[in-house]
Every structure is written in structure tokens, then in C-alpha cells.
Amino acid sequence: MIFDEFKVLALNPPQREEETIFEVVEYAIDEHLCQTKKKSKYPKFDLRHYTVGFCHTLENAEALIMDAIEDDKKYCTEPYCFYVKEYPVGKFIGHVWEEYAVSMRLYDSKGCMLDRTYCSGMQRDFRTPYGVFRGREKNAIRFKEGDIVEVRDKDEVHLAVIASANMTIERCWELRERWEKKYRGSEKDSAATLVNEFPEEDYPVDSSDDQSPVIDGPGYDTHEHIHTLNIMPLRYPLSDRLRKRYGGYYEAMLEKEEKYRQEEERKEAEQLKRFEEVKSRCLKYADIKIDISPEEALKLLAECYVDLCGISLGVRTVVYDCGEFWMEQLAKSQQPLSVKASEGSFMNLMPDLLGQDIFEKAQPDKYDVAPLDSEEAMIVINNVLTEVTDERLRKVLSLGFLYVIDQY
């Protein structure tokens, strides 16, 4: 699939061939609030909602919204927004969340459409071509970072600030490429089907990702993720005091993010420096003029593993990883154990290297190894090189560690 095909799917998601019905839901300002003379009801206010009716077509549903608006005028009701939700008829659909349907459209208090969904949010469509969110065009994103908005949470509306805008089609394409590279075809890709010819599952971006993180406090730790159709522009005048407060929240978040970025850059620089120092040390010891075969190297490592494996998990792990490097060298050689090295692991070869009696007595297979993070691995490698004094073993370890460092 190329990006242009992906974009077509993003804007025109696959639809099931089935009969559907449209539910029209109105949210109105709480009648007690409507009776007040306040110009602004911020920082939060209440709503009430009800189903206006059901229709067979979208056109009829939109006409029903206009009927509801006329009815509101009779009773001095202040409409807040309308939703048109599409559901299948005569089909088992599983659990239905408030915000999700086959499709959903948002209309303002005057009946003008503001937004729509770009994939099905039904539980039955999860991990299928119908339920994959492939992003929005930039001109379909209503808010930008830093905008003060209204967030509807059930029957309450409160102020918040957009912390991050919706995912674009370009961003979803980037995520898909990263996902594809990671799994290399071992997982099926729901985003890649142009028509409904193949079963699809497992691609991770779905309708719940059509959202924006917002904050209503001083920092990203106060954030929540809000479905795009539950975010509205400011309806009432915003006082300078509230504008300053919520603008301050956003500035405080940016300041924290900048400090975090700088700290991560500092850690990354320190880590890179440590990498280079450890690598330089390994290169120094690896340059020692000692001839040693892969089988001899593995015997030294097996003895080292037995001697040091009880010290720590990190020590065991880096020595074992070093052994895996020398296993590759042995497998490429013409030595007696080359075939066994190509078919097994370092641990499986230890009885041949140490002798069965020594292996059974030492029981090195009782000591597990585990992945290390890169920073810990460099510290452990440096410590091992410091503790080992035998030049032959130090050369063997250094050559193996150079391989290990490249893996990190």
C-alpha cells in the first residue's frame, strides 16, 4: 500500500452493506441555568439530553434537528449541540459506548454540522477494516494546541486547554509504517486493505484514537483524552481572569515539557559518553596480541560464567551475551563443536566446554539471564572489565562486548 491509497481509505473508510437507522440526540443547557442573567456560565455548567427521534436516512435526521430547534424556541430551551448516531438494524452489535456508533456526526445549536467520525466505533468492528482510524486531514482538525475549549463529559461541560491536536493522516501513516517494520508481516494489518477481501486484525489504531489530550490544570499530569466530537468551541464570553488562568495552565505544561526534554537530552548525552568510554576500553583490551580460537574463548567464558554468575543478574547476562557472540564465531569455524554451536545455545554447549561433571556440580543453568537497559548494560560491562585481570579472558570479553554494545 502507498500513502495515497491509505489517504483514500482514511477519508472514505469501508462500510458494511446493511440497513442502518439514525438516532438524533439533543443536548440542551440546563433550564435552571437558562433562567440566570449571567453572561458566562464558566468554568463549568450542566446539560440535559434526550433522544429526539429515529430516522431511516441522514437527510431525515438532519431535518429532525431543525424541527427540534423550532420546538426549543417554543419552550425557551437553549440547545447546546446535536448528535446523529448511526446503528445497524437487526444485527448483534455488542456493547455500545456513549461516544461510539457505526458513524457519528456533531451539529451545533443551529443545526450546522461541525464534525464527524472517520471509522466505526462499534465493538463488533474492533480489529476489522471498518474500525481502523487512519487519521484526519489537517483542515478537518478544529482546534490547535493551546486553544481554550469546552469539553462535554456526559451531562457536564467544563473548560480545558488543547494539549495536543488530533492525529493527522500523515501521523497515522507513520505509525503504520513503524508497526509494519516492527512486525515485518507477522501481524495482519487492518489499515492496509482497500476492499473487504481479507480478514484483518491486530493493527492497533482504532476509533478511540480520534481524540485530543486536554488539560484543566497546571501540567500534563492533569490531562485527559477526549473524543473529538465531545469538544466544542467557546460558547460564552470568557473573562480575562479565566483566560489568564487556563492560558497559564498551558504555559506551565510547556515549561514542564521543556525541562523534561532538556533532562532527557542530558541523560542521552551522558549515556552516549558512557557508551563511547566503554567501547574505547573494549577496543583497547581487544587489541591485545593474543591468538585464541572460538572454542578456547568459549571455554574461558564458561568458566567465567560459573565463577561470576552468582554475583548479579547483570553480570550473568552480559557474560552470557558475550558467549552468544563467540558461539557465532565457533559455528563459522571448522572446529569439532561448530555444528553443535550452530544448533544450540551457549548454555547447551557448556557441558562440552567444562566437562559434564563440572557442569552438573556448578549447575550454571540454574541462574537466569534477562535483558538489561542500555545504561545498566554499560555499567555492568565496565565493572566486569575492571574485575577481570586475566588478559586472555579480558580480550575474549572485550571482543564479545563490542558485539553486545552494537546491539544496544
Side-chain angles (χ1 to χ4, degrees):
M1 170 180 280
I2 61 174
F3 174 75
D4 288 344
E5 294 171 327
F6 182 84
K7 185 174 182 179
V8 169
L9 275 176
L11 300 176
N12 304 279
Q15 301 288 321
R16 294 182 186 271
E17 294 183 5
E18 60 186 2
E19 181 185 358
T20 60
I21 194 169
F22 296 88
E23 178 189 15
V24 181
V25 179
E26 176 179 352
Y27 282 81
I29 309 296
D30 185 271
E31 58 185 5
H32 298 296
L33 290 174
C34 291
Q35 295 171 2
T36 68
K37 296 182 179 180
K38 293 171 60 178
K39 290 184 178 181
S40 176
K41 299 176 175 61
Y42 296 139
K44 63 180 180 180
F45 55 89
D46 294 326
L47 304 173
R48 55 189 175 87
H49 73 276
Y50 62 96
T51 297
V52 174
F54 296 89
C55 302
H56 289 292
T57 67
L58 177 61
E59 291 74 17
N60 288 343
E62 291 177 333
L64 200 58
I65 290 176
M66 304 311 296
D67 291 342
I69 292 173
E70 289 301 314
D71 191 65
D72 288 337
K73 292 178 181 177
K74 294 180 185 178
Y75 299 98
C76 297
T77 299
E78 185 179 346
Y80 178 72
C81 70
F82 296 86
Y83 292 92
V84 175
K85 303 180 180 182
E86 182 181 11
Y87 297 105
V89 176
K91 302 287 185 179
F92 177 76
I93 57 177
H95 181 74
V96 178
W97 293 275
E98 179 193 354
E99 293 89 354
Y100 302 111
V102 171
S103 72
M104 188 162 67
R105 290 169 173 80
L106 170 66
Y107 297 78
D108 66 13
S109 59
K110 297 180 180 179
C112 298
M113 194 178 88
L114 296 178
D115 213 336
R116 68 178 179 91
T117 54
Y118 287 82
C119 69
S120 172
M122 304 297 292
Q123 185 183 42
R124 63 165 188 173
D125 294 329
F126 185 62
R127 294 290 189 262
T128 74
Y130 311 104
V132 175
F133 177 63
R134 302 173 179 87
R136 289 171 167 262
E137 279 193 303
K138 293 178 181 179
N139 61 11
I141 297 176
R142 293 183 290 135
F143 305 104
K144 65 181 185 300
E145 296 176 4
D147 283 351
I148 302 175
V149 296
E150 295 179 0
V151 169
R152 184 184 68 79
D153 182 5
K154 297 181 180 178
D155 281 348
E156 181 184 274
V157 174
H158 67 270
L159 292 176
V161 184
I162 300 292
S164 180
N166 299 79
M167 288 202 295
T168 62
I169 297 174
E170 289 78 9
R171 173 59 175 158
C172 285
W173 173 256
E174 178 185 326
L175 290 175
R176 178 187 174 274
E177 286 193 312
R178 186 183 303 172
W179 177 88
E180 188 178 52
K181 182 178 180 181
K182 178 179 179 181
Y183 292 102
R184 296 177 183 175
S186 62
E187 298 284 351
K188 294 176 182 177
D189 178 3
S190 304
T193 297
L194 295 174
V195 292
N196 309 323
E197 296 177 350
F198 307 103
E200 295 184 350
E201 55 191 33
D202 297 328
Y203 183 73
V205 184
D206 55 47
S207 59
S208 66
D209 293 294
D210 187 12
Q211 45 81 15
S212 287
V214 303
I215 58 171
D216 58 3
Y220 193 71
D221 52 350
T222 67
H223 85 287
E224 56 181 334
H225 293 260
I226 304 298
H227 190 280
T228 305
L229 271 63
N230 287 344
I231 302 176
M232 296 284 282
L234 295 176
R235 182 183 184 87
Y236 302 109
L238 187 65
S239 68
D240 291 341
R241 178 178 59 84
L242 286 176
R243 188 174 297 278
K244 183 177 180 180
R245 181 202 300 179
Y246 284 87
Y249 292 159
Y250 182 67
E251 293 300 323
M253 183 201 75
L254 292 180
E255 185 177 342
K256 285 185 178 180
E257 286 186 342
E258 178 61 20
K259 288 181 179 178
Y260 176 79
R261 184 190 65 79
Q262 291 178 0
E263 178 63 16
E264 290 300 302
E265 286 184 352
R266 184 190 65 79
K267 289 180 180 178
E268 186 177 337
E270 288 182 354
Q271 183 173 315
L272 182 60
K273 181 180 178 182
R274 187 176 292 112
F275 263 69
E276 294 303 320
E277 289 174 348
V278 174
K279 189 171 183 178
S280 177
R281 192 174 184 188
C282 287
L283 287 168
K284 175 184 174 183
Y285 294 140
D287 200 39
I288 297 173
K289 302 299 182 182
I290 299 175
D291 290 329
I292 189 166
S293 69
E295 193 168 315
E296 290 175 305
L298 283 164
K299 184 176 181 181
L300 285 172
L301 286 174
E303 292 170 348
C304 178
Y305 188 87
V306 169
D307 290 341
L308 299 178
C309 64
I311 294 177
S312 74
L313 176 63
V315 173
R316 295 196 299 273
T317 298
V318 297
V319 172
Y320 194 89
D321 289 345
C322 187
E324 291 297 308
F325 162 74
W326 283 103
M327 287 283 288
E328 291 184 13
Q329 309 311 305
L330 180 57
K332 297 174 185 176
S333 74
Q334 301 298 318
Q335 294 183 271
L337 292 175
S338 61
V339 174
K340 195 166 186 178
S342 65
E343 297 174 348
S345 66
F346 181 35
M347 186 62 68
N348 291 337
L349 203 64
M350 278 193 190
D352 297 279
L353 298 167
L354 297 169
Q356 188 66 39
D357 292 343
I358 295 176
F359 180 83
E360 291 178 358
K361 183 177 180 179
Q363 294 185 308
D365 54 333
K366 299 298 183 183
Y367 295 92
D368 293 332
V369 296
L372 306 175
D373 64 54
S374 56
E375 184 175 3
E376 183 181 8
M378 295 308 105
I379 293 172
V380 173
I381 288 174
N382 207 37
N383 290 341
V384 171
L385 290 175
T386 299
E387 293 177 12
V388 172
T389 57
D390 181 88
E391 283 196 346
R392 285 166 57 84
L393 177 58
R394 185 179 280 172
K395 179 181 176 70
V396 168
L397 286 168
S398 296
L399 286 168
F401 287 157
L402 288 171
Y403 166 82
V404 173
I405 290 171
D406 285 342
Q407 303 310 303
Y408 283 98

